[in-house]
PDB file of all heavy atoms in Angstrom:
ATOM      1  N   GLU A  49      -1.376  12.046  -0.205  1.00 96.00           N
ATOM      2  CA  GLU A  49      -2.612  12.786   0.067  1.00 96.00           C
ATOM      3  C   GLU A  49      -3.182  13.198  -1.286  1.00 96.00           C
ATOM      4  O   GLU A  49      -2.529  13.952  -2.022  1.00 96.00           O
ATOM      5  CB  GLU A  49      -2.314  14.015   0.937  1.00 96.00           C
ATOM      6  CG  GLU A  49      -3.550  14.844   1.316  1.00 96.00           C
ATOM      7  CD  GLU A  49      -4.608  14.053   2.108  1.00 96.00           C
ATOM      8  OE1 GLU A  49      -4.236  13.376   3.077  1.00 96.00           O
ATOM      9  OE2 GLU A  49      -5.784  14.104   1.723  1.00 96.00           O
ATOM     10  N   PRO A  50      -4.377  12.689  -1.644  1.00 96.00           N
ATOM     11  CA  PRO A  50      -4.911  12.961  -2.983  1.00 96.00           C
ATOM     12  C   PRO A  50      -4.917  14.458  -3.318  1.00 96.00           C
ATOM     13  O   PRO A  50      -5.401  15.274  -2.528  1.00 96.00           O
ATOM     14  CB  PRO A  50      -6.339  12.396  -2.910  1.00 96.00           C
ATOM     15  CG  PRO A  50      -6.267  11.336  -1.844  1.00 96.00           C
ATOM     16  CD  PRO A  50      -5.270  11.834  -0.841  1.00 96.00           C
ATOM     17  N   GLY A  51      -4.354  14.791  -4.472  1.00 97.00           N
ATOM     18  CA  GLY A  51      -4.412  16.165  -4.985  1.00 97.00           C
ATOM     19  C   GLY A  51      -3.363  17.100  -4.424  1.00 97.00           C
ATOM     20  O   GLY A  51      -3.213  18.229  -4.914  1.00 97.00           O
ATOM     21  N   LEU A  52      -2.600  16.672  -3.414  1.00 98.00           N
ATOM     22  CA  LEU A  52      -1.686  17.625  -2.773  1.00 98.00           C
ATOM     23  C   LEU A  52      -0.438  17.886  -3.620  1.00 98.00           C
ATOM     24  O   LEU A  52      -0.016  19.048  -3.751  1.00 98.00           O
ATOM     25  CB  LEU A  52      -1.285  17.117  -1.376  1.00 98.00           C
ATOM     26  CG  LEU A  52      -0.461  18.097  -0.539  1.00 98.00           C
ATOM     27  CD1 LEU A  52      -1.212  19.410  -0.310  1.00 98.00           C
ATOM     28  CD2 LEU A  52      -0.056  17.476   0.810  1.00 98.00           C
ATOM     29  N   GLU A  53       0.119  16.828  -4.209  1.00 98.00           N
ATOM     30  CA  GLU A  53       1.388  17.021  -4.920  1.00 98.00           C
ATOM     31  C   GLU A  53       1.257  17.957  -6.124  1.00 98.00           C
ATOM     32  O   GLU A  53       2.072  18.873  -6.278  1.00 98.00           O
ATOM     33  CB  GLU A  53       1.986  15.667  -5.306  1.00 98.00           C
ATOM     34  CG  GLU A  53       3.481  15.764  -5.552  1.00 98.00           C
ATOM     35  CD  GLU A  53       4.180  14.416  -5.437  1.00 98.00           C
ATOM     36  OE1 GLU A  53       4.558  14.035  -4.324  1.00 98.00           O
ATOM     37  OE2 GLU A  53       4.340  13.754  -6.482  1.00 98.00           O
ATOM     38  N   PRO A  54       0.226  17.786  -6.968  1.00 98.00           N
ATOM     39  CA  PRO A  54       0.089  18.740  -8.079  1.00 98.00           C
ATOM     40  C   PRO A  54      -0.094  20.181  -7.601  1.00 98.00           C
ATOM     41  O   PRO A  54       0.443  21.119  -8.201  1.00 98.00           O
ATOM     42  CB  PRO A  54      -1.171  18.271  -8.817  1.00 98.00           C
ATOM     43  CG  PRO A  54      -1.555  16.965  -8.241  1.00 98.00           C
ATOM     44  CD  PRO A  54      -0.757  16.699  -7.017  1.00 98.00           C
ATOM     45  N   LEU A  55      -0.806  20.345  -6.493  1.00 98.00           N
ATOM     46  CA  LEU A  55      -1.035  21.704  -5.971  1.00 98.00           C
ATOM     47  C   LEU A  55       0.278  22.281  -5.411  1.00 98.00           C
ATOM     48  O   LEU A  55       0.542  23.486  -5.541  1.00 98.00           O
ATOM     49  CB  LEU A  55      -2.088  21.637  -4.862  1.00 98.00           C
ATOM     50  CG  LEU A  55      -3.041  22.822  -4.757  1.00 98.00           C
ATOM     51  CD1 LEU A  55      -3.795  23.049  -6.043  1.00 98.00           C
ATOM     52  CD2 LEU A  55      -4.022  22.593  -3.601  1.00 98.00           C
ATOM     53  N   LEU A  56       1.099  21.413  -4.801  1.00 98.00           N
ATOM     54  CA  LEU A  56       2.417  21.832  -4.310  1.00 98.00           C
ATOM     55  C   LEU A  56       3.250  22.339  -5.493  1.00 98.00           C
ATOM     56  O   LEU A  56       3.823  23.430  -5.448  1.00 98.00           O
ATOM     57  CB  LEU A  56       3.099  20.641  -3.615  1.00 98.00           C
ATOM     58  CG  LEU A  56       4.594  20.758  -3.315  1.00 98.00           C
ATOM     59  CD1 LEU A  56       4.866  21.855  -2.294  1.00 98.00           C
ATOM     60  CD2 LEU A  56       5.160  19.419  -2.786  1.00 98.00           C
ATOM     61  N   ARG A  57       3.297  21.545  -6.559  1.00 98.00           N
ATOM     62  CA  ARG A  57       4.102  21.921  -7.734  1.00 98.00           C
ATOM     63  C   ARG A  57       3.606  23.226  -8.341  1.00 98.00           C
ATOM     64  O   ARG A  57       4.391  24.105  -8.674  1.00 98.00           O
ATOM     65  CB  ARG A  57       4.037  20.811  -8.786  1.00 98.00           C
ATOM     66  CG  ARG A  57       4.640  19.525  -8.304  1.00 98.00           C
ATOM     67  CD  ARG A  57       5.438  18.818  -9.391  1.00 98.00           C
ATOM     68  NE  ARG A  57       6.162  17.720  -8.775  1.00 98.00           N
ATOM     69  CZ  ARG A  57       5.914  16.428  -8.973  1.00 98.00           C
ATOM     70  NH1 ARG A  57       4.996  16.065  -9.837  1.00 98.00           N
ATOM     71  NH2 ARG A  57       6.604  15.504  -8.355  1.00 98.00           N
ATOM     72  N   LYS A  58       2.288  23.325  -8.458  1.00 98.00           N
ATOM     73  CA  LYS A  58       1.691  24.533  -9.060  1.00 98.00           C
ATOM     74  C   LYS A  58       2.133  25.776  -8.292  1.00 98.00           C
ATOM     75  O   LYS A  58       2.528  26.787  -8.882  1.00 98.00           O
ATOM     76  CB  LYS A  58       0.157  24.396  -9.020  1.00 98.00           C
ATOM     77  CG  LYS A  58      -0.613  25.604  -9.483  1.00 98.00           C
ATOM     78  CD  LYS A  58      -2.110  25.404  -9.265  1.00 98.00           C
ATOM     79  CE  LYS A  58      -2.829  26.733  -9.169  1.00 98.00           C
ATOM     80  NZ  LYS A  58      -4.157  26.636  -8.561  1.00 98.00           N
ATOM     81  N   ASN A  59       2.101  25.699  -6.968  1.00 98.00           N
ATOM     82  CA  ASN A  59       2.402  26.894  -6.172  1.00 98.00           C
ATOM     83  C   ASN A  59       3.895  27.152  -6.032  1.00 98.00           C
ATOM     84  O   ASN A  59       4.316  28.301  -5.887  1.00 98.00           O
ATOM     85  CB  ASN A  59       1.684  26.809  -4.824  1.00 98.00           C
ATOM     86  CG  ASN A  59       0.200  27.079  -4.991  1.00 98.00           C
ATOM     87  OD1 ASN A  59      -0.206  28.221  -5.173  1.00 98.00           O
ATOM     88  ND2 ASN A  59      -0.609  26.027  -5.015  1.00 98.00           N
ATOM     89  N   LEU A  60       4.726  26.080  -6.130  1.00 98.00           N
ATOM     90  CA  LEU A  60       6.184  26.284  -6.215  1.00 98.00           C
ATOM     91  C   LEU A  60       6.497  27.019  -7.519  1.00 98.00           C
ATOM     92  O   LEU A  60       7.235  28.007  -7.532  1.00 98.00           O
ATOM     93  CB  LEU A  60       6.917  24.946  -6.203  1.00 98.00           C
ATOM     94  CG  LEU A  60       7.083  24.230  -4.869  1.00 98.00           C
ATOM     95  CD1 LEU A  60       7.625  22.812  -5.093  1.00 98.00           C
ATOM     96  CD2 LEU A  60       8.006  24.992  -3.928  1.00 98.00           C
ATOM     97  N   ASP A  61       5.903  26.533  -8.605  1.00 98.00           N
ATOM     98  CA  ASP A  61       6.155  27.139  -9.925  1.00 98.00           C
ATOM     99  C   ASP A  61       5.698  28.593  -9.959  1.00 98.00           C
ATOM    100  O   ASP A  61       6.320  29.438 -10.604  1.00 98.00           O
ATOM    101  CB  ASP A  61       5.436  26.354 -11.040  1.00 98.00           C
ATOM    102  CG  ASP A  61       6.054  24.978 -11.243  1.00 98.00           C
ATOM    103  OD1 ASP A  61       7.160  24.744 -10.709  1.00 98.00           O
ATOM    104  OD2 ASP A  61       5.419  24.121 -11.907  1.00 98.00           O
ATOM    105  N   ALA A  62       4.596  28.866  -9.252  1.00 98.00           N
ATOM    106  CA  ALA A  62       4.063  30.243  -9.258  1.00 98.00           C
ATOM    107  C   ALA A  62       4.895  31.163  -8.352  1.00 98.00           C
ATOM    108  O   ALA A  62       4.673  32.377  -8.313  1.00 98.00           O
ATOM    109  CB  ALA A  62       2.610  30.231  -8.790  1.00 98.00           C
ATOM    110  N   GLY A  63       5.842  30.589  -7.597  1.00 98.00           N
ATOM    111  CA  GLY A  63       6.717  31.395  -6.736  1.00 98.00           C
ATOM    112  C   GLY A  63       6.037  31.879  -5.464  1.00 98.00           C
ATOM    113  O   GLY A  63       6.568  32.732  -4.757  1.00 98.00           O
ATOM    114  N   ARG A  64       4.858  31.312  -5.149  1.00 97.00           N
ATOM    115  CA  ARG A  64       4.162  31.753  -3.930  1.00 97.00           C
ATOM    116  C   ARG A  64       4.577  30.956  -2.702  1.00 97.00           C
ATOM    117  O   ARG A  64       4.269  31.323  -1.582  1.00 97.00           O
ATOM    118  CB  ARG A  64       2.636  31.585  -4.107  1.00 97.00           C
ATOM    119  CG  ARG A  64       1.992  32.662  -4.948  1.00 97.00           C
ATOM    120  CD  ARG A  64       0.477  32.560  -4.850  1.00 97.00           C
ATOM    121  NE  ARG A  64      -0.013  31.325  -5.444  1.00 97.00           N
ATOM    122  CZ  ARG A  64      -0.408  31.197  -6.699  1.00 97.00           C
ATOM    123  NH1 ARG A  64      -0.383  32.249  -7.496  1.00 97.00           N
ATOM    124  NH2 ARG A  64      -0.830  30.043  -7.170  1.00 97.00           N
ATOM    125  N   LEU A  65       5.260  29.803  -2.942  1.00 98.00           N
ATOM    126  CA  LEU A  65       5.561  28.896  -1.832  1.00 98.00           C
ATOM    127  C   LEU A  65       7.045  28.551  -1.844  1.00 98.00           C
ATOM    128  O   LEU A  65       7.592  28.162  -2.877  1.00 98.00           O
ATOM    129  CB  LEU A  65       4.715  27.618  -2.014  1.00 98.00           C
ATOM    130  CG  LEU A  65       4.910  26.488  -1.018  1.00 98.00           C
ATOM    131  CD1 LEU A  65       4.610  26.950   0.402  1.00 98.00           C
ATOM    132  CD2 LEU A  65       4.003  25.314  -1.383  1.00 98.00           C
ATOM    133  N   ARG A  66       7.678  28.738  -0.677  1.00 98.00           N
ATOM    134  CA  ARG A  66       9.104  28.371  -0.541  1.00 98.00           C
ATOM    135  C   ARG A  66       9.284  27.577   0.743  1.00 98.00           C
ATOM    136  O   ARG A  66       8.425  27.607   1.633  1.00 98.00           O
ATOM    137  CB  ARG A  66       9.979  29.630  -0.502  1.00 98.00           C
ATOM    138  CG  ARG A  66      10.058  30.364  -1.829  1.00 98.00           C
ATOM    139  CD  ARG A  66      11.032  31.526  -1.790  1.00 98.00           C
ATOM    140  NE  ARG A  66      10.698  32.498  -0.758  1.00 98.00           N
ATOM    141  CZ  ARG A  66      11.450  32.746   0.310  1.00 98.00           C
ATOM    142  NH1 ARG A  66      12.578  32.081   0.523  1.00 98.00           N
ATOM    143  NH2 ARG A  66      11.085  33.665   1.191  1.00 98.00           N
ATOM    144  N   PHE A  67      10.432  26.910   0.848  1.00 98.00           N
ATOM    145  CA  PHE A  67      10.721  26.095   2.033  1.00 98.00           C
ATOM    146  C   PHE A  67      12.076  26.478   2.597  1.00 98.00           C
ATOM    147  O   PHE A  67      12.983  26.852   1.846  1.00 98.00           O
ATOM    148  CB  PHE A  67      10.699  24.605   1.661  1.00 98.00           C
ATOM    149  CG  PHE A  67       9.323  24.117   1.307  1.00 98.00           C
ATOM    150  CD1 PHE A  67       8.850  24.207  -0.006  1.00 98.00           C
ATOM    151  CD2 PHE A  67       8.477  23.612   2.280  1.00 98.00           C
ATOM    152  CE1 PHE A  67       7.574  23.792  -0.341  1.00 98.00           C
ATOM    153  CE2 PHE A  67       7.192  23.196   1.962  1.00 98.00           C
ATOM    154  CZ  PHE A  67       6.742  23.279   0.653  1.00 98.00           C
ATOM    155  N   THR A  68      12.210  26.392   3.913  1.00 98.00           N
ATOM    156  CA  THR A  68      13.475  26.749   4.552  1.00 98.00           C
ATOM    157  C   THR A  68      13.679  25.925   5.818  1.00 98.00           C
ATOM    158  O   THR A  68      12.733  25.323   6.351  1.00 98.00           O
ATOM    159  CB  THR A  68      13.488  28.260   4.911  1.00 98.00           C
ATOM    160  OG1 THR A  68      14.769  28.608   5.423  1.00 98.00           O
ATOM    161  CG2 THR A  68      12.440  28.593   5.990  1.00 98.00           C
ATOM    162  N   LEU A  69      14.917  25.914   6.298  1.00 98.00           N
ATOM    163  CA  LEU A  69      15.231  25.315   7.611  1.00 98.00           C
ATOM    164  C   LEU A  69      15.554  26.410   8.615  1.00 98.00           C
ATOM    165  O   LEU A  69      15.874  26.128   9.765  1.00 98.00           O
ATOM    166  CB  LEU A  69      16.452  24.389   7.468  1.00 98.00           C
ATOM    167  CG  LEU A  69      16.241  23.079   6.719  1.00 98.00           C
ATOM    168  CD1 LEU A  69      17.579  22.468   6.305  1.00 98.00           C
ATOM    169  CD2 LEU A  69      15.466  22.087   7.594  1.00 98.00           C
ATOM    170  N   SER A  70      15.503  27.689   8.157  1.00 98.00           N
ATOM    171  CA  SER A  70      16.001  28.798   8.983  1.00 98.00           C
ATOM    172  C   SER A  70      14.872  29.553   9.699  1.00 98.00           C
ATOM    173  O   SER A  70      14.006  30.169   9.061  1.00 98.00           O
ATOM    174  CB  SER A  70      16.772  29.775   8.075  1.00 98.00           C
ATOM    175  OG  SER A  70      16.910  31.023   8.721  1.00 98.00           O
ATOM    176  N   PHE A  71      14.905  29.513  11.023  1.00 98.00           N
ATOM    177  CA  PHE A  71      13.925  30.272  11.807  1.00 98.00           C
ATOM    178  C   PHE A  71      14.167  31.777  11.680  1.00 98.00           C
ATOM    179  O   PHE A  71      13.231  32.571  11.761  1.00 98.00           O
ATOM    180  CB  PHE A  71      13.940  29.832  13.280  1.00 98.00           C
ATOM    181  CG  PHE A  71      13.106  28.610  13.522  1.00 98.00           C
ATOM    182  CD1 PHE A  71      13.668  27.338  13.412  1.00 98.00           C
ATOM    183  CD2 PHE A  71      11.760  28.713  13.816  1.00 98.00           C
ATOM    184  CE1 PHE A  71      12.897  26.200  13.608  1.00 98.00           C
ATOM    185  CE2 PHE A  71      10.977  27.585  14.016  1.00 98.00           C
ATOM    186  CZ  PHE A  71      11.553  26.320  13.914  1.00 98.00           C
ATOM    187  N   ALA A  72      15.438  32.159  11.474  1.00 98.00           N
ATOM    188  CA  ALA A  72      15.741  33.583  11.291  1.00 98.00           C
ATOM    189  C   ALA A  72      15.025  34.095  10.038  1.00 98.00           C
ATOM    190  O   ALA A  72      14.395  35.167  10.047  1.00 98.00           O
ATOM    191  CB  ALA A  72      17.253  33.780  11.168  1.00 98.00           C
ATOM    192  N   GLU A  73      15.079  33.294   8.982  1.00 98.00           N
ATOM    193  CA  GLU A  73      14.413  33.683   7.726  1.00 98.00           C
ATOM    194  C   GLU A  73      12.895  33.743   7.933  1.00 98.00           C
ATOM    195  O   GLU A  73      12.236  34.683   7.470  1.00 98.00           O
ATOM    196  CB  GLU A  73      14.772  32.658   6.638  1.00 98.00           C
ATOM    197  CG  GLU A  73      14.381  33.094   5.236  1.00 98.00           C
ATOM    198  CD  GLU A  73      14.646  32.004   4.194  1.00 98.00           C
ATOM    199  OE1 GLU A  73      15.308  30.989   4.503  1.00 98.00           O
ATOM    200  OE2 GLU A  73      14.155  32.194   3.060  1.00 98.00           O
ATOM    201  N   ALA A  74      12.370  32.745   8.666  1.00 98.00           N
ATOM    202  CA  ALA A  74      10.920  32.715   8.901  1.00 98.00           C
ATOM    203  C   ALA A  74      10.484  33.934   9.718  1.00 98.00           C
ATOM    204  O   ALA A  74       9.476  34.582   9.405  1.00 98.00           O
ATOM    205  CB  ALA A  74      10.533  31.427   9.629  1.00 98.00           C
ATOM    206  N   GLY A  75      11.261  34.263  10.762  1.00 98.00           N
ATOM    207  CA  GLY A  75      10.915  35.410  11.616  1.00 98.00           C
ATOM    208  C   GLY A  75      10.917  36.707  10.825  1.00 98.00           C
ATOM    209  O   GLY A  75      10.023  37.555  10.987  1.00 98.00           O
ATOM    210  N   ALA A  76      11.911  36.843   9.950  1.00 97.00           N
ATOM    211  CA  ALA A  76      12.022  38.083   9.167  1.00 97.00           C
ATOM    212  C   ALA A  76      10.926  38.162   8.102  1.00 97.00           C
ATOM    213  O   ALA A  76      10.459  39.245   7.749  1.00 97.00           O
ATOM    214  CB  ALA A  76      13.400  38.152   8.504  1.00 97.00           C
ATOM    215  N   PHE A  77      10.484  37.007   7.609  1.00 98.00           N
ATOM    216  CA  PHE A  77       9.546  36.977   6.478  1.00 98.00           C
ATOM    217  C   PHE A  77       8.093  37.209   6.886  1.00 98.00           C
ATOM    218  O   PHE A  77       7.351  37.960   6.262  1.00 98.00           O
ATOM    219  CB  PHE A  77       9.672  35.614   5.781  1.00 98.00           C
ATOM    220  CG  PHE A  77       8.701  35.397   4.652  1.00 98.00           C
ATOM    221  CD1 PHE A  77       8.999  35.833   3.366  1.00 98.00           C
ATOM    222  CD2 PHE A  77       7.479  34.746   4.863  1.00 98.00           C
ATOM    223  CE1 PHE A  77       8.111  35.637   2.325  1.00 98.00           C
ATOM    224  CE2 PHE A  77       6.585  34.552   3.835  1.00 98.00           C
ATOM    225  CZ  PHE A  77       6.905  34.994   2.560  1.00 98.00           C
ATOM    226  N   GLY A  78       7.677  36.562   7.990  1.00 97.00           N
ATOM    227  CA  GLY A  78       6.235  36.429   8.223  1.00 97.00           C
ATOM    228  C   GLY A  78       5.585  37.542   9.030  1.00 97.00           C
ATOM    229  O   GLY A  78       6.171  38.088   9.963  1.00 97.00           O
ATOM    230  N   ASP A  79       4.334  37.838   8.671  1.00 97.00           N
ATOM    231  CA  ASP A  79       3.466  38.654   9.538  1.00 97.00           C
ATOM    232  C   ASP A  79       2.613  37.732  10.401  1.00 97.00           C
ATOM    233  O   ASP A  79       2.226  38.074  11.505  1.00 97.00           O
ATOM    234  CB  ASP A  79       2.518  39.510   8.688  1.00 97.00           C
ATOM    235  CG  ASP A  79       3.280  40.343   7.673  1.00 97.00           C
ATOM    236  OD1 ASP A  79       4.167  41.098   8.090  1.00 97.00           O
ATOM    237  OD2 ASP A  79       3.001  40.204   6.462  1.00 97.00           O
ATOM    238  N   VAL A  80       2.297  36.559   9.829  1.00 98.00           N
ATOM    239  CA  VAL A  80       1.493  35.563  10.534  1.00 98.00           C
ATOM    240  C   VAL A  80       2.251  34.236  10.477  1.00 98.00           C
ATOM    241  O   VAL A  80       2.673  33.809   9.402  1.00 98.00           O
ATOM    242  CB  VAL A  80       0.106  35.406   9.869  1.00 98.00           C
ATOM    243  CG1 VAL A  80      -0.711  34.336  10.588  1.00 98.00           C
ATOM    244  CG2 VAL A  80      -0.645  36.728   9.864  1.00 98.00           C
TER     245      VAL A  80
END
Side-chain angles (χ1 to χ4, degrees):
E49 182 60 48
L52 187 59
E53 202 159 273
L55 215 58
L56 166 65
R57 296 219 170 111
K58 175 186 157 198
N59 285 285
L60 282 170
D61 291 347
R64 282 190 294 267
L65 177 59
R66 290 185 302 114
F67 292 88
T68 185
L69 288 164
S70 162
F71 277 90
E73 192 185 349
F77 176 86
D79 306 304
V80 178

